[in-house]
């Protein structure tokens, strides 16, 4: 079972220096805001693919939806 | 981009992306969207008065499968501008609010003066049931 704290730590562990705020009303639908200088020079699509890629295989199953906002500091 | 493979559906999708400057893959049609995310994304384009081609992915599940394989993007909708994936519902909404979407589409933001219709846009090819919104 996924939860917001686990998604946050997964993102922050995979993208060193990133700050993630993750919220979920039900542990299946998630909203995340991720701030990282890793995103510098990447298109938004690439930024989202980087984060979404961390949850490959779980999206569509235990994670029904992850709404994402990515930013550089 | 439109390199021929032995996969006619993927070829048709690649061809549609290559030959339509602005193309939205969505669930349903702009006038009858079948999903809130697709509805919001189509509405953003419509409110900018941006001409766009739309493909309903629902009639054949292989369209979605091949599209996501091609774009490395798992969800629908997907907006392509100039052959490049711009994003899904979240990104398009964010870009709409910041004004970047109008900029990417080369249209005026709604409060600006009306824009002349872009010239020389070809009607879309038919195989995927592409609905063309060109004025």
């Amino acid at each position: 079972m996924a939860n917001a704290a686990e998604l946050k730590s997964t993102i922050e562990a995979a993208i060193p220096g990133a700050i993630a705020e993750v919220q979920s009303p039900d542990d299946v639908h998630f909203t995340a805001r991720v701030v990282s200088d890793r995103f510098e020079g990447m298109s938004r699509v690439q930024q989202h693919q980087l984060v979404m890629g961390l949850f490959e295989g779980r999206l569509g199953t235990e994670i029904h939806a992850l709404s994402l906002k990515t930013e550089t500091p | 981009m439109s390199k021929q493979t032995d996969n006619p559906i993927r070829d048709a999708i690649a061809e549609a992306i290559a030959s339509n400057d602005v193309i939205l893959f969505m669930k349903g049609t702009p006038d009858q969207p079948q999903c809130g995310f697709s509805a919001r994304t189509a509405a953003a384009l419509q409110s900018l008065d941006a001409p766009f081609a739309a493909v309903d992915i629902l009639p054949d599940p292989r369209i979605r499968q091949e599209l996501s394989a091609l774009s490395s993007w798992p969800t629908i909708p997907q907006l392509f501008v100039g052959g490049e994936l711009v994003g899904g519902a979240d990104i398009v909404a964010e870009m709409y609010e910041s004004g970047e979407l109008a900029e990417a589409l080369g249209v005026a933001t709604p409060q600006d003066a009306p824009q002349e219709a872009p010239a020389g846009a070809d009607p879309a090819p038919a195989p995927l049931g592409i609905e063309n919104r060109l004025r």
Side-chain angles (χ1 to χ4, degrees), chain A residues 44-45 48-49 59 66-70, chain B residues 71-73 85-86 90-91 94-95 100:
Chain A
R44 275 206 184 79
V45 163
H48 282 222
Q49 281 168 335
L59 278 166
L66 173 56
S67 171
L68 197 57
K69 192 168 160 65
T70 50
Chain B
S71 63
S72 306
W73 194 259
L85 176 63
V86 165
D90 286 344
I91 292 177
E94 198 181 324
M95 291 178 72
E100 286 166 89

Side-chain angles (χ1 to χ4, degrees), chain B residues 60-108:
Chain B
D60 187 336
R62 291 175 300 178
I63 300 175
R64 178 183 182 157
Q65 193 183 327
E66 295 301 330
L67 174 64
S68 287
L70 200 68
S71 63
S72 306
W73 194 259
T75 52
I76 302 295
Q78 296 185 25
L79 176 67
F80 290 79
V81 177
E84 293 288 325
L85 176 63
V86 165
D90 286 344
I91 292 177
V92 171
E94 198 181 324
M95 291 178 72
Y96 175 74
E97 280 158 29
S98 69
E100 286 166 89
L101 185 62
E103 199 179 312
L105 296 172
V107 296

Side-chain angles (χ1 to χ4, degrees), chain A residues 2-57:
Chain A
N3 66 64
E6 185 248 327
L7 264 67
K8 174 184 165 69
S9 57
T10 300
I11 294 167
E12 291 180 348
I15 310 173
I19 296 169
E21 292 164 17
V22 184
Q23 292 172 328
S24 176
D26 54 11
D27 286 350
V28 284
H29 299 86
F30 295 87
T31 305
R33 177 170 170 265
V34 184
V35 182
S36 169
D37 54 17
R38 264 284 289 283
F39 296 144
E40 210 91 56
M42 298 169 78
S43 71
R44 275 206 184 79
V45 163
Q46 290 168 330
Q47 295 170 4
H48 282 222
Q49 281 168 335
L50 176 65
V51 178
M52 292 295 190
L54 305 175
F55 303 103
E56 209 167 352

